Amino acid sequence: MSKNNLVNRLFKNKSNITIKKRHYLLFAILLTLSTKTVAQEIQIFEIEAKIDSLIPSRVKDSTPGLVVGIVKDGKLIFNKGYGLGNMAYKIPNDSKMVYNLGSATKQFLGYAFAMLHSQGKLNLDDSVNMYLDDWPTFDHPVTLRHLLTHTSGYREAYTMSKLAGRAIDVDRLTQDECLQVIRKQPNLEFIPGTRYTYNSTTYVVLSEILKKVTDTPADKWVEKNIFKPLEMNSTQIESYVGELITNASESYSFDREKGYTNEKSNRAIFGAADIYSSVEDLAKWFTIFRSDLLGGKETQNVFLKPFILTDGTNSEYALGIRNEMHNGLKVYHHTGGHENFISQLRYYPDSDLGIIVLTNFGRNGWLSASRVAELFLDKEMTVAPQKELKEISLKIDKLKQLEGIYVAKTLNRILNLSIVDESLTLNGRNRLVPISGNNFGIKGWNGKIEIEHSSQSTFLHLIDRKKETYYRVKKWEENIEQLKTYEGKYWSDELEIVYNLYIENGELKVKNRWFGVMKLQPISKDFFESNKGYYIKFTRNQQEEISGLNINSERTLNVYFNRIK
C-alpha cells in the first residue's frame, strides 16, 4: 500500500480531527514510514557489506564467480551476483540465471518419493525388486528407503567407471550403464541399513522406479508436480547431453598455462544431478520446508525424517536432504558439484532463514553458505562448549607401544600414529592428549580416541557422533623379490578389464590402457595404497600364492580382480 493511500484511508470521514492535528499526524506517519524504509535500506546495506567481505579474492568482475541469495520468512531479501556467468559474452552472474545444482538435485527426487508414499502409490519400505523387472536379488532385501538414504549396499557407478579408466564428464555415461553396474554386482557391499555410504547411482535407480510407478518419465513428473505448483518457471532438467538450457550460466576452471577453460559434461542422468535452477526459483523451493502446501504434512514429515542405522546411529540424512545441527540450530541442507558448478542450499527452520550460494568457478568461487548463515544467526547459535582435556602423564615407552598404521575394517582408510616431539600424534599433525590409560583427546575436538592394546592385537576406536574401528597392521619392509610376487595380469568380470601389475624403478605399479599408470605403496603385507586414493588388498590361495586382489575406496568396496597370469 502506498503512503498516500494509507493517509487517505486514515483521514476519510474523520471530521472531528482538526486541520492542524491532521498536519501533525500526517508528518508523524510519513516520518515513521521513511524511518522504517531507511532502516531496511541500512540493514540490506550491512548484509551486502558483510557478504562482500567474504567473497573469494580470485573472483573479480572479469572472472567467473558466484551468486548469493538470502531468504527470510519466505521472501528473497537479498541477492547479488559476483563475476561473470558467461565469459565469452561478458554476461554477469545474477539471481535469474540458472546453474547446474549437481547433487543438490537429489532433494527434488526425494520429495517426489515422499509425495508418492503419502499418496499410497508406493511404500518406501518396499523392496526395489517389486518395481524393476529382471533386477538382481541379494541375500538381504534393499528397499526404496535404503536407496534414498545411501544405505543400500549397491555399487556406485562413478567410482566403477573410474576404475575402468573412464573419466567422468569426459567419457559418456548413460543411465542404462549406471543400472548395469548394479546388475553385474556379485554381492552387496554391506547389509542394507547398517552403513551410510554416499551413492549417486541409487538415485538413477529411483528415477527408473518413479517412471514405472507413475508411467511418466521422472523429469516430466517432477516438472509437473513440483516445479509448476511452486512456480519455479526458470528451473529446467537436462535429460540428454546437449539439451538446450535457456539463460544458463557456464562453468569455468583456470590453468596457468591454458587460461580459462569452459568445463563441459558428457552425462545427463536425472535423479543424481542435472537440474538447473536460479536463486529466485530456489527461494520458492524453500516453501516446502516452511509449509505443507505441497503434498501435505505427511509428505513433509516423511521427506525430512533422517534414517536411523540398525545400530541406532542417526545417519543425519533423510530423503535426498541432510538433517543436521549447526551450532545448536537445526538445518536442512545439501551441496552439489557438476562440471565446475558448486551449489549450496541451507534452510534453518527455527529461524525461517534460507541461504543459497551457487558458483560457476569451482573452489575458486567457494563461499561457505554456513558462514553466511552465521552472519545472521550468531546470536541464536550456541557453540558446543569445548571439552576440557584433563591430561595425564604417560611415559614415552607406553606411547611408543601404540605407534603404527591402523587400517579401517572396511580396508578403505588408514590412520598413522607416530611420536613427534615426545608426543603421540595422529597422522603426524594432531597431538593426542592422554586423558586416561587408553583414551586420548585432541584439542579443539569433542570426540575421543580409544585404543585397545594387548600383546596379540591393537585396535583403535575413533568415537565422535559414531564409532569407527581400525586395527593395527605390521609395517612391511618390502624388497624387490617380494614385490615381484605380485606381478602379473588381473581380470575383473564386473569391469571387463585387465590390470597389468609390474615393477619399475623399484616400485609396484598398475597399468591399464585407459587410465595410464597407478603407483602402489606398501602399507603391510598384501595391503597397498595407490596414488589415486584406492586401497588394494591381495588375496592368497591355500598354497599361499597370490590369487587376486580387491580394490576399496571411500564409496566402493571389494571390487575383485582374479589373477590370470
Side-chain angles (χ1 to χ4, degrees), residues 53 106 194 240 283 288 291 294 299-300 314 323 414 483 498 510:
S53 70
K106 290 179 173 65
T194 61
Y240 60 87
I288 63 97
S291 76
L294 187 61
T299 294
Q300 188 183 50
N314 185 346
N323 182 339
I414 62 172
L483 283 180
V498 171
V510 180

Side-chain angles (χ1 to χ4, degrees), residues 372-403:
V372 175
E374 289 165 5
L375 295 176
F376 293 84
L377 304 175
D378 59 327
K379 293 181 180 179
E380 300 174 44
M381 289 181 167
T382 56
V383 179
Q386 197 63 56
K387 182 186 292 184
E388 183 181 357
L389 297 178
K390 296 182 179 180
E391 184 172 356
I392 66 170
S393 177
L394 286 182
K395 293 182 178 180
I396 190 70
D397 290 344
K398 182 166 185 178
L399 294 177
K400 285 183 177 180
Q401 292 177 0
L402 305 179
E403 282 189 297

